[in-house]
Amino acid sequence: MKGKSKLQKTDARHRTEASALTSPFLSVSLQQSDQNRPRFVAVTTLEDVQAVRCAEFHPNGRIYAVGSNSKTFRICEYPSLSEIREDHSTYQPTVLFKRTKHHKGSIYCMAWSPAGDLIATGSNDKTVKLMRFNETQKQLEGQEMELTMHDGTVRDLCFLEDSSNKSSLLISGGAGDCKIYVTDCETSTPFQALSGHGGHVLSLYNWGGVMFVSGSQDKTVRFWDLRTRGCVNMVTPATSPGSRQGSPVAAVCVDPSGRLLVSGHEDSSCVLYDIRGNRPIQCFKPHSADVRSIRFSPSAYYLLTAGYDNKLVLTDLQGDLTMPLPSVVVAQHTDKVISGRWHPVDFSFLSTSADKTATLWALPPI
């Protein structure tokens, strides 16, 4: 895994990401003073009447969608960051589209298709809603489809592109029978139910292609390949030193190269796993409570984790991944953080929280 950072440094598009943080970030450990820490500022904050569970950037980065326990679905405009300074005053984002009672229950999860023309939402009303999105008008259009195959809360969603016929596939998982469903978005028909998990499916992630991973309450991460129509590998990340003991997997993600899996657990652990070598690299604890969300930054230099300790933490992955990893708290809410999502190109991220807000954070220009 040591060659990883060299490979990623060829990605010139995100040079800013490396330069934005490298000097202050690496020189500061969590025990040292706050002086040199990267200071992300809250650019916008969307306020709701209940906990905000999910927010996802559109692939073009110009808008983002937000889903809340209040059943409200919104599409917001991504602001210009050129004027952001350290003394910035947080403001409300521009809401381009708002629908109350979007589901009959809380909106737990959402996902955009890679092309950006579809968006899906999942709820504890046990349904998935699939909608077309008009990028030019920045509005939903046409008839929404309601999918009712789940028999419990839908906890996560992700899209895959089926390259054989260029159609979008929607993967959805959750509570109830713990099955993962594959839906053809063209016909809005579920055509596969993947069994294997013995507990609620809490997290799904796809990094391009026909593979995806799932994390579950049963403490396992499963790798699925739609060509073989089943689970191709199963890992139980060990979160207790010196034992094989695991913890429910609340969040999973894979780096863009498909080499590195990171799982986030209810016992506040994160585990790095070498997919090609099929072996764990290390377990670390960036939070003091459940890790609910994990995402690699656009060029995978950093990991953003969100936890029930009200914090968002940035962990540096540019060095030797077997050594202790430098981590820094970069943002905070007044209640549990439920999700953190990077902008597709900018060094900014969205967070959602039980404190009833969705906040956009960015690093002021140096």
PDB file of all heavy atoms in Angstrom, residues 186-212:
ATOM      1  N   GLU A 186     -34.648   2.078 -15.768  1.00  0.00           N
ATOM      2  CA  GLU A 186     -35.402   2.327 -17.005  1.00  0.00           C
ATOM      3  C   GLU A 186     -36.847   1.872 -16.849  1.00  0.00           C
ATOM      4  O   GLU A 186     -37.789   2.553 -17.232  1.00  0.00           O
ATOM      5  CB  GLU A 186     -34.724   1.565 -18.161  1.00  0.00           C
ATOM      6  CG  GLU A 186     -34.999   2.126 -19.542  1.00  0.00           C
ATOM      7  CD  GLU A 186     -34.677   3.616 -19.665  1.00  0.00           C
ATOM      8  OE1 GLU A 186     -33.552   4.036 -19.315  1.00  0.00           O
ATOM      9  OE2 GLU A 186     -35.581   4.362 -20.095  1.00  0.00           O
ATOM     10  N   THR A 187     -37.008   0.699 -16.219  1.00  0.00           N
ATOM     11  CA  THR A 187     -38.358   0.124 -16.068  1.00  0.00           C
ATOM     12  C   THR A 187     -38.880   0.276 -14.639  1.00  0.00           C
ATOM     13  O   THR A 187     -40.018  -0.095 -14.353  1.00  0.00           O
ATOM     14  CB  THR A 187     -38.318  -1.381 -16.416  1.00  0.00           C
ATOM     15  OG1 THR A 187     -37.376  -2.023 -15.518  1.00  0.00           O
ATOM     16  CG2 THR A 187     -37.845  -1.608 -17.848  1.00  0.00           C
ATOM     17  N   SER A 188     -38.029   0.785 -13.742  1.00  0.00           N
ATOM     18  CA  SER A 188     -38.363   0.894 -12.304  1.00  0.00           C
ATOM     19  C   SER A 188     -38.783  -0.459 -11.720  1.00  0.00           C
ATOM     20  O   SER A 188     -39.669  -0.546 -10.884  1.00  0.00           O
ATOM     21  CB  SER A 188     -39.471   1.926 -12.079  1.00  0.00           C
ATOM     22  OG  SER A 188     -39.085   3.166 -12.586  1.00  0.00           O
ATOM     23  N   THR A 189     -38.116  -1.502 -12.195  1.00  0.00           N
ATOM     24  CA  THR A 189     -38.445  -2.858 -11.745  1.00  0.00           C
ATOM     25  C   THR A 189     -37.277  -3.468 -10.976  1.00  0.00           C
ATOM     26  O   THR A 189     -36.167  -3.574 -11.512  1.00  0.00           O
ATOM     27  CB  THR A 189     -38.738  -3.777 -12.963  1.00  0.00           C
ATOM     28  OG1 THR A 189     -39.657  -3.102 -13.807  1.00  0.00           O
ATOM     29  CG2 THR A 189     -39.301  -5.111 -12.530  1.00  0.00           C
ATOM     30  N   PRO A 190     -37.511  -3.896  -9.710  1.00  0.00           N
ATOM     31  CA  PRO A 190     -36.472  -4.636  -8.988  1.00  0.00           C
ATOM     32  C   PRO A 190     -36.321  -6.018  -9.644  1.00  0.00           C
ATOM     33  O   PRO A 190     -37.317  -6.699  -9.840  1.00  0.00           O
ATOM     34  CB  PRO A 190     -37.026  -4.769  -7.567  1.00  0.00           C
ATOM     35  CG  PRO A 190     -38.265  -3.932  -7.523  1.00  0.00           C
ATOM     36  CD  PRO A 190     -38.723  -3.726  -8.913  1.00  0.00           C
ATOM     37  N   PHE A 191     -35.086  -6.393 -10.002  1.00  0.00           N
ATOM     38  CA  PHE A 191     -34.929  -7.686 -10.685  1.00  0.00           C
ATOM     39  C   PHE A 191     -33.997  -8.630  -9.951  1.00  0.00           C
ATOM     40  O   PHE A 191     -33.791  -9.754 -10.378  1.00  0.00           O
ATOM     41  CB  PHE A 191     -34.457  -7.480 -12.135  1.00  0.00           C
ATOM     42  CG  PHE A 191     -33.078  -6.915 -12.279  1.00  0.00           C
ATOM     43  CD1 PHE A 191     -31.976  -7.746 -12.409  1.00  0.00           C
ATOM     44  CD2 PHE A 191     -32.878  -5.536 -12.282  1.00  0.00           C
ATOM     45  CE1 PHE A 191     -30.700  -7.221 -12.533  1.00  0.00           C
ATOM     46  CE2 PHE A 191     -31.607  -5.007 -12.414  1.00  0.00           C
ATOM     47  CZ  PHE A 191     -30.513  -5.851 -12.534  1.00  0.00           C
ATOM     48  N   GLN A 192     -33.430  -8.179  -8.835  1.00  0.00           N
ATOM     49  CA  GLN A 192     -32.534  -9.055  -8.076  1.00  0.00           C
ATOM     50  C   GLN A 192     -32.652  -8.738  -6.604  1.00  0.00           C
ATOM     51  O   GLN A 192     -32.743  -7.566  -6.225  1.00  0.00           O
ATOM     52  CB  GLN A 192     -31.094  -8.782  -8.508  1.00  0.00           C
ATOM     53  CG  GLN A 192     -30.377 -10.003  -9.052  1.00  0.00           C
ATOM     54  CD  GLN A 192     -28.978  -9.625  -9.527  1.00  0.00           C
ATOM     55  OE1 GLN A 192     -28.830  -8.762 -10.380  1.00  0.00           O
ATOM     56  NE2 GLN A 192     -27.971 -10.257  -8.985  1.00  0.00           N
ATOM     57  N   ALA A 193     -32.662  -9.777  -5.771  1.00  0.00           N
ATOM     58  CA  ALA A 193     -32.611  -9.586  -4.318  1.00  0.00           C
ATOM     59  C   ALA A 193     -31.400 -10.365  -3.824  1.00  0.00           C
ATOM     60  O   ALA A 193     -31.327 -11.583  -3.983  1.00  0.00           O
ATOM     61  CB  ALA A 193     -33.887 -10.105  -3.672  1.00  0.00           C
ATOM     62  N   LEU A 194     -30.429  -9.659  -3.270  1.00  0.00           N
ATOM     63  CA  LEU A 194     -29.179 -10.294  -2.843  1.00  0.00           C
ATOM     64  C   LEU A 194     -29.253 -10.606  -1.354  1.00  0.00           C
ATOM     65  O   LEU A 194     -29.400  -9.708  -0.525  1.00  0.00           O
ATOM     66  CB  LEU A 194     -28.001  -9.365  -3.132  1.00  0.00           C
ATOM     67  CG  LEU A 194     -27.854  -8.927  -4.599  1.00  0.00           C
ATOM     68  CD1 LEU A 194     -26.811  -7.813  -4.728  1.00  0.00           C
ATOM     69  CD2 LEU A 194     -27.464 -10.107  -5.482  1.00  0.00           C
ATOM     70  N   SER A 195     -29.142 -11.891  -1.023  1.00  0.00           N
ATOM     71  CA  SER A 195     -29.199 -12.311   0.381  1.00  0.00           C
ATOM     72  C   SER A 195     -27.799 -12.595   0.884  1.00  0.00           C
ATOM     73  O   SER A 195     -26.911 -12.930   0.108  1.00  0.00           O
ATOM     74  CB  SER A 195     -30.031 -13.590   0.513  1.00  0.00           C
ATOM     75  OG  SER A 195     -31.328 -13.343   0.035  1.00  0.00           O
ATOM     76  N   GLY A 196     -27.622 -12.495   2.185  1.00  0.00           N
ATOM     77  CA  GLY A 196     -26.321 -12.811   2.780  1.00  0.00           C
ATOM     78  C   GLY A 196     -26.178 -12.186   4.144  1.00  0.00           C
ATOM     79  O   GLY A 196     -25.749 -12.843   5.092  1.00  0.00           O
ATOM     80  N   HIS A 197     -26.539 -10.916   4.271  1.00  0.00           N
ATOM     81  CA  HIS A 197     -26.383 -10.257   5.564  1.00  0.00           C
ATOM     82  C   HIS A 197     -27.383 -10.806   6.585  1.00  0.00           C
ATOM     83  O   HIS A 197     -28.544 -11.048   6.260  1.00  0.00           O
ATOM     84  CB  HIS A 197     -26.566  -8.747   5.429  1.00  0.00           C
ATOM     85  CG  HIS A 197     -25.345  -8.041   4.930  1.00  0.00           C
ATOM     86  ND1 HIS A 197     -24.139  -8.074   5.617  1.00  0.00           N
ATOM     87  CD2 HIS A 197     -25.131  -7.287   3.820  1.00  0.00           C
ATOM     88  CE1 HIS A 197     -23.241  -7.365   4.942  1.00  0.00           C
ATOM     89  NE2 HIS A 197     -23.808  -6.878   3.853  1.00  0.00           N
ATOM     90  N   GLY A 198     -26.886 -10.950   7.831  1.00  0.00           N
ATOM     91  CA  GLY A 198     -27.744 -11.442   8.908  1.00  0.00           C
ATOM     92  C   GLY A 198     -28.227 -10.323   9.814  1.00  0.00           C
ATOM     93  O   GLY A 198     -28.795 -10.569  10.873  1.00  0.00           O
ATOM     94  N   GLY A 199     -27.974  -9.079   9.421  1.00  0.00           N
ATOM     95  CA  GLY A 199     -28.409  -7.910  10.196  1.00  0.00           C
ATOM     96  C   GLY A 199     -28.723  -6.783   9.246  1.00  0.00           C
ATOM     97  O   GLY A 199     -28.455  -6.878   8.041  1.00  0.00           O
ATOM     98  N   HIS A 200     -29.285  -5.704   9.758  1.00  0.00           N
ATOM     99  CA  HIS A 200     -29.667  -4.572   8.919  1.00  0.00           C
ATOM    100  C   HIS A 200     -28.495  -4.094   8.073  1.00  0.00           C
ATOM    101  O   HIS A 200     -27.367  -4.013   8.558  1.00  0.00           O
ATOM    102  CB  HIS A 200     -30.154  -3.397   9.777  1.00  0.00           C
ATOM    103  CG  HIS A 200     -31.355  -3.725  10.598  1.00  0.00           C
ATOM    104  ND1 HIS A 200     -31.877  -2.847  11.520  1.00  0.00           N
ATOM    105  CD2 HIS A 200     -32.142  -4.827  10.637  1.00  0.00           C
ATOM    106  CE1 HIS A 200     -32.939  -3.402  12.097  1.00  0.00           C
ATOM    107  NE2 HIS A 200     -33.104  -4.602  11.577  1.00  0.00           N
ATOM    108  N   VAL A 201     -28.774  -3.784   6.815  1.00  0.00           N
ATOM    109  CA  VAL A 201     -27.761  -3.200   5.939  1.00  0.00           C
ATOM    110  C   VAL A 201     -27.753  -1.698   6.212  1.00  0.00           C
ATOM    111  O   VAL A 201     -28.765  -1.024   6.051  1.00  0.00           O
ATOM    112  CB  VAL A 201     -28.086  -3.480   4.454  1.00  0.00           C
ATOM    113  CG1 VAL A 201     -27.068  -2.805   3.546  1.00  0.00           C
ATOM    114  CG2 VAL A 201     -28.123  -4.989   4.201  1.00  0.00           C
ATOM    115  N   LEU A 202     -26.609  -1.180   6.671  1.00  0.00           N
ATOM    116  CA  LEU A 202     -26.533   0.228   7.091  1.00  0.00           C
ATOM    117  C   LEU A 202     -25.828   1.122   6.082  1.00  0.00           C
ATOM    118  O   LEU A 202     -25.996   2.337   6.099  1.00  0.00           O
ATOM    119  CB  LEU A 202     -25.810   0.332   8.447  1.00  0.00           C
ATOM    120  CG  LEU A 202     -26.423  -0.467   9.604  1.00  0.00           C
ATOM    121  CD1 LEU A 202     -25.577  -0.311  10.858  1.00  0.00           C
ATOM    122  CD2 LEU A 202     -27.856  -0.023   9.869  1.00  0.00           C
ATOM    123  N   SER A 203     -25.022   0.536   5.198  1.00  0.00           N
ATOM    124  CA  SER A 203     -24.220   1.362   4.299  1.00  0.00           C
ATOM    125  C   SER A 203     -23.931   0.623   2.992  1.00  0.00           C
ATOM    126  O   SER A 203     -23.679  -0.586   3.000  1.00  0.00           O
ATOM    127  CB  SER A 203     -22.904   1.718   5.002  1.00  0.00           C
ATOM    128  OG  SER A 203     -22.122   2.584   4.222  1.00  0.00           O
ATOM    129  N   LEU A 204     -23.992   1.364   1.877  1.00  0.00           N
ATOM    130  CA  LEU A 204     -23.682   0.819   0.554  1.00  0.00           C
ATOM    131  C   LEU A 204     -22.731   1.776  -0.143  1.00  0.00           C
ATOM    132  O   LEU A 204     -22.831   2.999   0.041  1.00  0.00           O
ATOM    133  CB  LEU A 204     -24.955   0.689  -0.292  1.00  0.00           C
ATOM    134  CG  LEU A 204     -26.012  -0.309   0.198  1.00  0.00           C
ATOM    135  CD1 LEU A 204     -27.334  -0.048  -0.496  1.00  0.00           C
ATOM    136  CD2 LEU A 204     -25.544  -1.739  -0.064  1.00  0.00           C
ATOM    137  N   TYR A 205     -21.835   1.236  -0.969  1.00  0.00           N
ATOM    138  CA  TYR A 205     -20.901   2.128  -1.671  1.00  0.00           C
ATOM    139  C   TYR A 205     -20.439   1.489  -2.973  1.00  0.00           C
ATOM    140  O   TYR A 205     -20.101   0.306  -3.013  1.00  0.00           O
ATOM    141  CB  TYR A 205     -19.680   2.439  -0.794  1.00  0.00           C
ATOM    142  CG  TYR A 205     -18.843   3.571  -1.344  1.00  0.00           C
ATOM    143  CD1 TYR A 205     -19.239   4.895  -1.165  1.00  0.00           C
ATOM    144  CD2 TYR A 205     -17.685   3.322  -2.074  1.00  0.00           C
ATOM    145  CE1 TYR A 205     -18.489   5.941  -1.684  1.00  0.00           C
ATOM    146  CE2 TYR A 205     -16.924   4.356  -2.592  1.00  0.00           C
ATOM    147  CZ  TYR A 205     -17.342   5.670  -2.392  1.00  0.00           C
ATOM    148  OH  TYR A 205     -16.605   6.707  -2.909  1.00  0.00           O
ATOM    149  N   ASN A 206     -20.433   2.305  -4.038  1.00  0.00           N
ATOM    150  CA  ASN A 206     -19.941   1.860  -5.338  1.00  0.00           C
ATOM    151  C   ASN A 206     -18.860   2.825  -5.796  1.00  0.00           C
ATOM    152  O   ASN A 206     -18.976   4.031  -5.582  1.00  0.00           O
ATOM    153  CB  ASN A 206     -21.105   1.852  -6.337  1.00  0.00           C
ATOM    154  CG  ASN A 206     -20.626   1.855  -7.775  1.00  0.00           C
ATOM    155  OD1 ASN A 206     -20.705   2.878  -8.449  1.00  0.00           O
ATOM    156  ND2 ASN A 206     -20.105   0.744  -8.234  1.00  0.00           N
ATOM    157  N   TRP A 207     -17.806   2.304  -6.392  1.00  0.00           N
ATOM    158  CA  TRP A 207     -16.710   3.188  -6.838  1.00  0.00           C
ATOM    159  C   TRP A 207     -16.514   3.064  -8.352  1.00  0.00           C
ATOM    160  O   TRP A 207     -15.421   3.164  -8.872  1.00  0.00           O
ATOM    161  CB  TRP A 207     -15.421   2.884  -6.064  1.00  0.00           C
ATOM    162  CG  TRP A 207     -14.912   1.478  -6.217  1.00  0.00           C
ATOM    163  CD1 TRP A 207     -13.910   1.058  -7.048  1.00  0.00           C
ATOM    164  CD2 TRP A 207     -15.366   0.303  -5.524  1.00  0.00           C
ATOM    165  NE1 TRP A 207     -13.729  -0.306  -6.918  1.00  0.00           N
ATOM    166  CE2 TRP A 207     -14.609  -0.785  -5.986  1.00  0.00           C
ATOM    167  CE3 TRP A 207     -16.356   0.071  -4.568  1.00  0.00           C
ATOM    168  CZ2 TRP A 207     -14.808  -2.089  -5.525  1.00  0.00           C
ATOM    169  CZ3 TRP A 207     -16.555  -1.223  -4.107  1.00  0.00           C
ATOM    170  CH2 TRP A 207     -15.783  -2.276  -4.580  1.00  0.00           C
ATOM    171  N   GLY A 208     -17.603   2.875  -9.068  1.00  0.00           N
ATOM    172  CA  GLY A 208     -17.529   2.700 -10.519  1.00  0.00           C
ATOM    173  C   GLY A 208     -17.522   1.222 -10.858  1.00  0.00           C
ATOM    174  O   GLY A 208     -17.090   0.391 -10.061  1.00  0.00           O
ATOM    175  N   GLY A 209     -18.037   0.860 -12.013  1.00  0.00           N
ATOM    176  CA  GLY A 209     -18.058  -0.552 -12.394  1.00  0.00           C
ATOM    177  C   GLY A 209     -19.211  -1.308 -11.755  1.00  0.00           C
ATOM    178  O   GLY A 209     -20.155  -0.718 -11.240  1.00  0.00           O
ATOM    179  N   VAL A 210     -19.116  -2.622 -11.769  1.00  0.00           N
ATOM    180  CA  VAL A 210     -20.239  -3.459 -11.332  1.00  0.00           C
ATOM    181  C   VAL A 210     -20.070  -3.991  -9.910  1.00  0.00           C
ATOM    182  O   VAL A 210     -20.855  -4.802  -9.445  1.00  0.00           O
ATOM    183  CB  VAL A 210     -20.444  -4.660 -12.288  1.00  0.00           C
ATOM    184  CG1 VAL A 210     -21.027  -4.191 -13.603  1.00  0.00           C
ATOM    185  CG2 VAL A 210     -19.133  -5.401 -12.515  1.00  0.00           C
ATOM    186  N   MET A 211     -19.021  -3.527  -9.238  1.00  0.00           N
ATOM    187  CA  MET A 211     -18.810  -3.976  -7.855  1.00  0.00           C
ATOM    188  C   MET A 211     -19.359  -2.942  -6.885  1.00  0.00           C
ATOM    189  O   MET A 211     -19.326  -1.748  -7.148  1.00  0.00           O
ATOM    190  CB  MET A 211     -17.308  -4.105  -7.572  1.00  0.00           C
ATOM    191  CG  MET A 211     -16.594  -5.123  -8.412  1.00  0.00           C
ATOM    192  SD  MET A 211     -16.640  -6.755  -7.693  1.00  0.00           S
ATOM    193  CE  MET A 211     -15.736  -6.539  -6.173  1.00  0.00           C
ATOM    194  N   PHE A 212     -19.870  -3.415  -5.758  1.00  0.00           N
ATOM    195  CA  PHE A 212     -20.191  -2.493  -4.672  1.00  0.00           C
ATOM    196  C   PHE A 212     -19.982  -3.215  -3.346  1.00  0.00           C
ATOM    197  O   PHE A 212     -19.835  -4.443  -3.316  1.00  0.00           O
ATOM    198  CB  PHE A 212     -21.623  -1.930  -4.807  1.00  0.00           C
ATOM    199  CG  PHE A 212     -22.727  -2.939  -4.596  1.00  0.00           C
ATOM    200  CD1 PHE A 212     -23.305  -3.109  -3.345  1.00  0.00           C
ATOM    201  CD2 PHE A 212     -23.202  -3.690  -5.657  1.00  0.00           C
ATOM    202  CE1 PHE A 212     -24.324  -4.024  -3.149  1.00  0.00           C
ATOM    203  CE2 PHE A 212     -24.233  -4.617  -5.461  1.00  0.00           C
ATOM    204  CZ  PHE A 212     -24.794  -4.780  -4.207  1.00  0.00           C
TER     205      PHE A 212
END
